[in-house]
């Protein structure tokens, strides 16, 4: 039997758990908005047309912040199209996803949805086809209390109080040639700097996110961050990171080690930012907003070509396996491990489009396999992230070389005394015995709940007909004796164990 171990001590902390780590993403793409969060004819629809079954699942998922309205969509979006009487709103072409946007849902409607869901909004401004003035205009509409033209327009549209959005993304993936309004790093950096300065002049307390690389495989990766940050460093608070993962040519071993790439991405961006900060003699530590991440079968999407202009076509509605869910759980471990730098993150997206929640028009909503590790991590990760240095057997991968079979992170809530351990076993066929020393916490810790996500069929998934085919169950043999936690981790599994004193 294989075994792995580590020691936890409350004195060795990384950073506080940031609630913004558990963010999501709603883009006007495919069926994320229309028949996703919004479907007036649905049996569960409320007076605003929002699906209450999706609202309930969003709350259960534990989403803290939602990035909106894009994504690639935002680089051609005119926010003014989505305000005022719905009957008067124009239908526009969306070049990003080759579809028609009806603008039935705009700022005011989405803010109502966000308040019902209990989430903060991270708003993205269009720096693809627009610029400084349009960013100032949408900020004024959202946040200006009264007296100005756009504040009064918002009030006339039913929102008497400002929305108070504090976090703004300065564009989206403008390093990418696919992006409407694609720019060089210098072009984007200059525009982002001028936009940031203007927005801060209007509202000094904003948190602003500059576009980083859209993936670490971009040929301009790191060079893009360096050039953009040399222009924007003192004007922004965050640099963004985006990453998607999939099994390539059936290579599950490398796929299960995807968090190795996420770790490298974060440390590379942090090192680049720190290098720029040192060059500029700045004492500020820039944070990272990992505001797009997930498993996405991107190679299958690239083979699909839309020819018609349609409203809310089905776009990248991936169905997720238990293996995908284990990878998602491991990516959450990576994000928590880097809580000293990554203080905001958004799984893309919330509903239907590479999403933890799926719906059918007029029909059910259900939890995909990737719903479960996200919901449990969001609920259980509290307090401080603890430093974890596992001792684990290793295995060879085609993409990442030798990697450990076990990956882990833990959190400690000093107020409640709770300690939660999050672990994955990446072995395809063998269980892994886990041993965790808890001596630093004194006597009295006991297992109060434990969850494992695994299945003998690595391709098992949840569907509308069988929505609970893959659900978490109790962790096997999880128990504490003499200050040592022991558990048995099945092959290809994600596990969370909460321990409490008393």
């Amino acid at each position: 039997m294989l075994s792995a171990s580590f020691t936890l001590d409350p004195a060795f902390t990384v950073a506080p758990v940031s609630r913004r780590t558990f963010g999501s993403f709603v883009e006007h793409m495919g069926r994320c908005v229309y028949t996703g969060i919004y479907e007036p004819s649905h049996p569960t629809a409320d007076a605003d047309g929002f699906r209450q079954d999706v609202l309930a699942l969003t709350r259960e998922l534990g989403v803290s912040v939602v990035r909106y309205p894009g994504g690639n969509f935002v680089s051609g979006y005119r926010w003014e199209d989505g305000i005022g009487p719905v009957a008067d709103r124009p239908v526009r072409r969306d070049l990003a996803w080759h579809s028609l946007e009806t603008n039935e849902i705009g700022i005011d409607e989405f803010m109502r949805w966000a308040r019902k869901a209990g989430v903060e909004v991270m708003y993205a401004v269009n720096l693809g086809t627009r610029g400084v003035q349009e960013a100032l205009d949408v900020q004024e509409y959202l946040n200006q209390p009264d007296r100005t033209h756009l504040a009064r327009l918002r009030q006339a549209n039913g929102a008497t109080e400002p929305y108070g959005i504090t976090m703004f993304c300065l564009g989206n993936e403008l390093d990418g040639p696919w992006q409407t309004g694609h720019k060089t790093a210098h072009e984007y950096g200059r525009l982002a700097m001028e936009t940031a300065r203007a927005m801060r002049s209007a509202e000094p307390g904003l948190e602003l996110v500059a576009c980083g690389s859209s993936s670490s495989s971009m040929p301009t990766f790191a060079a893009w961050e360096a050039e953009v940050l040399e222009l924007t460093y003192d004007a922004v608070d965050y640099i963004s990171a985006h990453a998607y993962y999939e099994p390539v040519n059936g290579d599950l071993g490398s796929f299960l080690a995807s968090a190795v790439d996420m770790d490298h991405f974060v440390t590379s961006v942090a090192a680049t930012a720190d290098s720029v900060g040192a060059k500029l003699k700045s004492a500020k530590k820039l944070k990272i907003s990992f505001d797009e991440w997930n498993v996405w079968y991107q190679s299958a999407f690239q083979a699909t070509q839309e020819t018609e202009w349609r409203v809310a076509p089905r776009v990248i509605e991936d169905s997720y396996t238990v293996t995908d869910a284990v990878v998602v759980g491991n990516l959450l471990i990576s994000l928590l491990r880097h809580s000293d730098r990554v203080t905001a993150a958004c799984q893309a997206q919330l509903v239907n489009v590479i999403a933890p929640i799926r719906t059918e028009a007029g029909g059910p909503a259900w939890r995909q396999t990737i719903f479960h590790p996200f919901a449990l991590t969001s609920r259980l990760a509290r307090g401080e992230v603890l430093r974890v240095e596992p001792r684990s057997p290793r295995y060879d991968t085609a993409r990442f070389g030798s990697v450990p079979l076990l990956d882990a992170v833990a959190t400690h809530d000093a107020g409640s005394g709770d300690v939660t351990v999050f672990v994955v076993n990446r072995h395809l066929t063998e269980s892994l015995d886990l041993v965790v020393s808890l001596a630093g916490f004194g006597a009295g810790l006991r297992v109060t709940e434990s969850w494992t996500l695994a299945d003998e069929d690595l391709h098992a998934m949840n569907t509308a007909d069988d929505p609970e085919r893959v659900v978490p169950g109790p962790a096997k043999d999880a128990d504490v004796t003499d200050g040592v936690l022991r558990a048995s981790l099945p092959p290809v599994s994600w596990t969370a164990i909460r321990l409490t004193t008393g």
Side-chain angles (χ1 to χ4, degrees):
M1 179 70 74
L2 298 169
S3 64
S5 63
F6 54 87
T7 298
L8 293 181
D9 192 300
F12 294 96
T13 62
V14 176
V17 175
S18 170
R19 296 314 306 161
R20 281 179 173 167
T21 301
F22 306 105
S24 190
F25 180 29
V26 169
E27 181 174 3
H28 286 246
M29 174 185 180
R31 297 194 310 118
C32 186
V33 173
Y34 304 112
T35 71
I37 68 170
Y38 175 76
E39 188 181 350
S41 62
H42 194 270
T44 70
D46 65 15
D48 291 315
F50 297 123
R51 289 185 58 150
Q52 294 185 78
D53 55 353
V54 173
L55 277 167
L57 288 174
T58 300
R59 297 186 198 104
E60 181 186 338
L61 187 61
V63 172
S64 57
V65 60
V66 173
R67 183 168 172 249
Y68 177 84
N72 294 350
F73 171 81
V74 79
S75 291
Y77 182 49
R78 307 179 216 192
W79 68 271
E80 309 94 324
D81 289 347
I83 62 173
V86 173
D88 296 338
R89 297 180 188 179
V91 175
R92 301 280 192 191
R93 295 179 306 177
D94 168 32
L95 300 183
W97 306 112
H98 198 88
S99 58
L100 295 179
E101 173 55 51
T102 66
N103 288 299
E104 290 175 73
I105 295 296
I107 284 175
D108 297 306
E109 289 83 8
F110 186 75
M111 292 305 300
R112 285 201 292 274
W113 178 87
R115 287 180 173 173
K116 292 179 182 189
V119 301
E120 178 189 3
V121 173
M122 178 195 303
Y123 194 87
V125 301
N126 176 359
L127 293 188
T129 58
R130 311 189 93 179
V132 178
Q133 187 59 61
E134 290 83 2
L136 286 172
D137 287 348
V138 72
Q139 178 209 13
E140 181 181 333
Y141 186 88
L142 288 163
N143 287 358
Q144 182 66 27
D146 52 28
R147 300 181 65 185
T148 70
H149 167 68
L150 290 173
R152 287 175 174 169
L153 183 57
R154 182 197 67 241
Q155 291 169 339
N157 290 332
T160 56
E161 298 299 321
Y163 291 122
I165 290 177
T166 60
M167 196 170 187
F168 287 83
C169 300
L170 303 176
N172 175 76
E173 291 188 356
L174 286 155
D175 65 320
W178 59 85
Q179 198 74 202
T180 305
H182 164 60
K183 293 169 174 58
T184 66
H186 184 78
E187 290 168 338
Y188 169 72
R190 283 281 300 151
L191 178 57
M193 177 187 65
E194 296 298 342
T195 304
R197 284 179 175 173
M199 293 178 75
R200 285 198 191 283
S201 293
E203 196 171 352
L206 298 178
E207 298 174 83
L208 303 179
V209 185
C211 287
S213 294
S214 48
S215 83
S216 59
S217 63
M218 294 293 290
T220 55
F221 174 58
W224 169 276
E225 280 82 355
E227 189 165 357
V228 166
L229 289 177
E230 286 198 16
L231 292 164
T232 64
Y233 196 89
D234 289 328
V236 301
D237 306 284
Y238 291 84
I239 185 80
S240 72
H242 294 176
Y244 295 101
Y245 300 97
E246 66 175 320
V248 178
N249 298 322
D251 180 6
L252 292 184
S254 295
F255 178 50
L256 286 163
S258 295
V260 172
D261 180 79
M262 179 176 272
D263 289 337
H264 175 71
F265 198 162
V266 171
T267 56
S268 298
V269 171
T272 303
D274 289 347
S275 174
V276 174
K279 181 178 179 180
L280 298 176
K281 298 179 174 58
S282 173
K284 180 169 73 173
K285 280 278 190 185
L286 212 70
K287 294 173 283 189
I288 296 172
S289 175
F290 218 120
D291 46 45
E292 285 190 35
W293 68 270
N294 206 349
V295 171
W296 173 11
Y297 287 76
Q298 202 164 5
S299 57
F301 169 70
Q302 290 172 340
T304 302
Q305 297 295 324
E306 274 287 336
T307 56
E308 297 180 34
W309 293 90
R310 294 183 292 157
V311 174
R314 289 181 182 267
V315 178
I316 57 171
E317 297 193 4
D318 288 357
S319 297
Y320 288 114
T321 68
V322 66
T323 306
D324 299 328
V326 172
V327 171
V328 163
N330 200 172
L331 296 174
L332 285 161
I333 287 171
S334 175
L335 292 170
L336 284 171
R337 175 163 47 238
H338 295 288
S339 291
D340 56 331
R341 298 306 289 266
V342 180
T343 59
C346 301
Q347 187 186 44
Q349 295 184 15
L350 179 65
V351 190
N352 289 328
V353 178
I354 51 171
I357 301 170
R358 282 286 297 273
T359 71
E360 286 298 335
W366 69 96
R367 305 166 190 82
Q368 293 229 70
T369 60
I370 65 171
F371 182 102
H372 298 295
F374 190 107
L376 286 166
T377 306
S378 177
R379 178 169 67 84
L380 295 173
R382 291 288 188 274
E384 296 276 339
V385 178
L386 299 180
R387 182 176 172 184
V388 176
E389 298 288 346
R391 294 179 292 276
S392 168
R394 303 179 73 86
Y395 72 109
D396 292 327
T397 68
R399 289 192 60 197
F400 308 117
S402 176
V403 302
L405 286 173
L406 179 89
D407 199 11
V409 77
T411 62
H412 174 228
D413 185 346
S416 67
D418 285 4
V419 176
T420 305
V421 174
F422 303 93
V423 293
V424 293
N425 174 12
R426 294 166 170 160
H427 202 292
L428 288 169
T429 58
E430 297 290 330
S431 294
L432 191 63
D433 282 344
L434 175 66
V435 179
V436 181
S437 173
L438 304 166
F441 294 91
L445 278 177
R446 59 184 178 84
V447 175
T448 49
E449 64 177 303
S450 64
W451 303 97
T452 288
L453 197 68
D455 198 283
E456 291 183 0
D457 179 2
L458 298 185
H459 302 288
M461 61 181 62
N462 296 336
T463 64
D465 294 330
D466 193 359
E468 296 189 359
R469 168 64 180 85
V470 178
V471 295
K476 187 178 179 183
D477 301 326
D479 194 19
V480 176
T481 305
D482 298 327
V484 177
L485 167 67
R486 289 181 170 82
S488 179
L489 310 178
V492 189
S493 63
W494 171 90
T495 298
I497 302 170
R498 182 170 75 93
L499 305 110
T500 304
T501 55

